[in-house]
Every structure is written in structure tokens, then in C-alpha cells.
């Protein structure tokens, strides 16, 4: 693929990702972007929390690259790319670091590789939503905005996670109590 076209596609995907994140998050997200590149490894972390810790540790050791540098890196891999995912790793008013995660065609089984070897890669922009925004036992009435940097941790994230777990515990206790009363009533 032509580097100019690839650079345009990366810039377009970045712009769409920032627009989506701006709608969902209360943060001011800068359009001064730098990039991290990493391969999707499905073996990292058994759950969301563990995976985020490992991902953060790996990314802290990387140096963010400019659009031109990341375009050169992706151009080398382009023919073997199956899936390209854009995530906001860290955002501030001055600078946004976008993590580009890719999945290679050769990472699939030989049979599946034969069906996809000539396909162009799929492009996705994803904004991770924190677990504490799920509604516990009730339908969500309103969309709440959240911190785009929630995966990096911090006191606000820990507090919201504590409240989420407390509400879950209360809901679970109430549910089990009502269930046991219902069962006792119909056992007799």
C-alpha cells in the first residue's frame, strides 16, 4: 500500500476515534497524537484487570512515535495485517497517545489463512468502557460520561470501582434474600 494513503487512513481512523471518545468521555482530548504499536496477544491476562496491568507495564516501556514513523512501521507489516484496532491509551489537553494493536493473518490457522490471505485488513476504533458503568440489576437510564484514562488507574478509578463492587454486593445480597424467602414460601 502507498504510504500516503496509509498515512491518510491512520489519520482518519484517529480522528474518528477521538470524536467517538469525546462524545463518551468528559476529558478534553488533544488532537496532537502520538502512537504506540503492539501485536494483539490473546494470552495476556486472564481477565480485564490483569490484562490492563500487563498492558500498562508493557506500554510504559515504549516510546510513542509520530504519524510518519508509525506509518513506516505499519507499511512493513501491511500485507500480513488482518485486523487493526485503535485505542486511546492516554489522553491529556496537550497530547494523546493512541495505541494501535494489530492481528496478523499468519497468526490464524492454516485453513483460515488460505481464505483471508488476499483480504485487506479491517480497521476499528474502540473506546474501552469502564466496568463500573454497567447497571446492576436495573436498566441504564442515562449515559454517564467517564474518564478516558480509566485503564491507567488512579484514585477516581479506584473509588468508582469500590462503589461498583459495593452496589453489586448489596444487589446480590438482596437478590439472594428474596430468592430464599420465595423458596421457603413454596417449599411448605
Amino acid at each position: 500500500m502507498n504510504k500516503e494513503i496509509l498515512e491518510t487512513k491512520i489519520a482518519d481512523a484517529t480522528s474518528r476515534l477521538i470524536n467517538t471518545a469525546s462524545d463518551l468521555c468528559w476529558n478534553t482530548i488533544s488532537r496532537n497524537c502520538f502512537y504506540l504499536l503492539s501485536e494483539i496477544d490473546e494470552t495476556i491476562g486472564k481477565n480485564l484487570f490483569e490484562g490492563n496491568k500487563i498492558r500498562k507495564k508493557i506500554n510504559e516501556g515504549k516510546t510513542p512515535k509520530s504519524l510518519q514513523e508509525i506509518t513506516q512501521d505499519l507499511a512493513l507489516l501491511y500485507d500480513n495485517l488482518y485486523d487493526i484496532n485503535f485505542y486511546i491509551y492516554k489522553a491529556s489537553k496537550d497530547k494523546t497517545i493512541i495505541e494501535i494493536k494489530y492481528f496478523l493473518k499468519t497468526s490464524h490457522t492454516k485453513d483460515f489463512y488460505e481464505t483471508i490471505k488476499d483480504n485487506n485488513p479491517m480497521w476499528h476504533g474502540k473506546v474501552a468502557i469502564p466496568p463500573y458503568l454497567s447497571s446492576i440489576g436495573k436498566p441504564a437510564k442515562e449515559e454517564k460520561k467517564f474518564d478516558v484514562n480509566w485503564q491507567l488507574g488512579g484514585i477516581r478509578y479506584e473509588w468508582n470501582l469500590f462503589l461498583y463492587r459495593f452496589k453489586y454486593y448489596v444487589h446480590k445480597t438482596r437478590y439472594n434474600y428474596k430468592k430464599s424467602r420465595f423458596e421457603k414460601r413454596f417449599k411448605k
Side-chain angles (χ1 to χ4, degrees):
M1 169 170 265
N2 187 341
K3 284 186 183 177
E4 291 82 26
I5 294 171
L6 183 59
E7 188 173 320
T8 303
K9 285 186 91 162
I10 294 170
D12 183 48
T14 300
S15 178
R16 283 186 276 126
L17 175 66
I18 291 174
N19 289 340
T20 302
S22 295
D23 291 342
L24 297 171
C25 304
W26 53 261
N27 306 69
T28 302
I29 302 172
S30 172
R31 295 205 178 257
N32 178 25
C33 297
F34 293 90
Y35 300 87
L36 298 173
L37 188 63
S38 53
E39 186 172 357
I40 295 173
D41 186 0
E42 295 175 342
T43 61
I44 291 180
K46 295 181 180 178
N47 64 37
L48 173 74
F49 303 106
E50 206 175 287
N52 282 341
K53 286 179 186 177
I54 294 168
R55 178 177 158 239
K56 181 180 174 186
K57 190 173 185 178
I58 291 170
N59 284 341
E60 290 299 321
K62 294 179 182 179
T63 304
K65 297 180 179 184
S66 68
L67 178 60
Q68 292 76 24
E69 292 171 319
I70 210 72
T71 301
Q72 291 173 353
D73 293 347
L74 274 178
L76 296 173
L77 298 168
Y78 192 80
D79 291 334
N80 192 24
L81 291 175
Y82 175 69
D83 199 8
I84 304 169
N85 297 301
F86 287 73
Y87 298 91
I88 293 181
Y89 175 67
K90 190 186 291 186
S92 67
K93 293 178 185 176
D94 305 326
K95 173 172 88 170
T96 299
I97 299 175
I98 306 290
E99 182 178 13
I100 301 174
K101 295 178 112 180
Y102 62 89
F103 199 74
L104 298 173
K105 292 176 184 176
T106 53
S107 297
H108 290 288
T109 61
K110 288 183 181 182
D111 294 335
F112 190 63
Y113 174 75
E114 291 301 319
T115 62
I116 62 168
K117 66 181 177 183
D118 297 324
N119 294 357
N120 287 327
M122 296 179 285
W123 294 71
H124 306 284
K126 300 179 179 180
V127 178
I129 297 175
Y132 55 79
L133 282 185
S134 70
S135 56
I136 301 171
K138 298 177 183 174
K141 292 181 181 175
E142 61 183 61
E143 294 289 323
K144 292 183 181 177
K145 292 196 174 205
F146 57 91
D147 183 4
V148 73
N149 297 313
W150 71 268
Q151 290 179 311
L152 301 175
I155 191 73
R156 177 177 283 142
Y157 167 72
E158 293 299 332
W159 175 250
N160 285 328
L161 194 60
F162 168 77
L163 289 176
Y164 169 74
R165 288 178 176 157
F166 180 73
K167 288 176 185 176
Y168 175 76
Y169 173 77
V170 169
H171 171 72
K172 184 177 163 186
T173 304
R174 284 182 181 166
Y175 174 79
N176 288 338
Y177 175 73
K178 287 178 182 179
K179 183 179 174 184
S180 67
R181 286 187 63 204
F182 180 78
E183 288 172 352
K184 283 180 186 178
R185 192 180 306 159
F186 287 103
K187 264 189 173 178
K188 294 179 180 181

